Amino acid sequence: QVQLVESGGDSVQPGGSLRLSCAASEYSSNTECMGWFRQAPGKEREGIAAIYRANGDTYYHDYLRGRFTITQDSAKNTVYLQMNSLKPEDSAIYYCAAGPAALGVCSSTAADVYVYWGQGTQVTVSS
């Protein structure tokens, strides 16, 4: 059973930055893709970004591209989400997910292709 452990959630002021981390217990065909999703109270879960671990290709939800950046440290089996210029509407629980790639491509939006999920980490953006 793959385990994903997120960390880095915090409370920050608007305009601030945070870096979330997601450590995976293994690297396998079922964790070729790792993605970040978020869910705010009363809203549906939405995709943010994904990374294909084999070659580092990244995928972003268009509306977040430029402020959020996904990276990986392969040696540590860890994926990061750098979030800059944070806004109050970015407040949510952020989840890390892992799953297989489809023909070498990962999805930044389709949650149902991901098999494993972390417990979530809270991000609050408020003045």
Side-chain angles (χ1 to χ4, degrees):
Q1 180 76 8
V2 174
Q3 293 185 338
L4 304 175
V5 180
E6 301 117 328
S7 60
D10 205 346
S11 295
V12 296
Q13 293 187 342
S17 297
L18 280 176
R19 188 178 78 157
L20 306 182
S21 301
C22 175
S25 59
E26 66 180 68
Y27 175 53
S28 69
S29 59
N30 275 336
T31 62
E32 287 179 322
C33 292
M34 290 188 69
W36 286 97
F37 293 77
R38 69 184 184 184
Q39 188 165 20
K43 295 188 177 181
E44 294 186 356
R45 181 173 47 191
E46 61 181 0
I48 300 170
I51 188 165
Y52 181 42
R53 299 176 69 189
N55 60 16
D57 282 352
T58 56
Y59 308 82
Y60 292 93
H61 195 301
D62 285 343
Y63 79 101
L64 289 171
R65 188 187 298 269
R67 290 197 301 126
F68 290 14
T69 304
I70 188 170
T71 58
Q72 66 172 342
D73 184 332
S74 299
K76 296 181 179 180
N77 268 345
T78 299
V79 171
Y80 304 97
L81 183 69
Q82 178 67 41
M83 306 185 294
N84 298 326
S85 302
L86 284 164
K87 306 174 182 180
E89 52 264 42
D90 293 319
S91 297
I93 299 175
Y94 284 68
Y95 296 94
C96 174
L103 300 177
V105 175
C106 301
S107 173
S108 61
T109 57
D112 55 358
V113 303
Y114 289 90
V115 177
Y116 303 102
W117 291 82
Q119 80 286 355
T121 186
Q122 177 72 49
V123 171
T124 302
V125 185
S126 173
S127 56

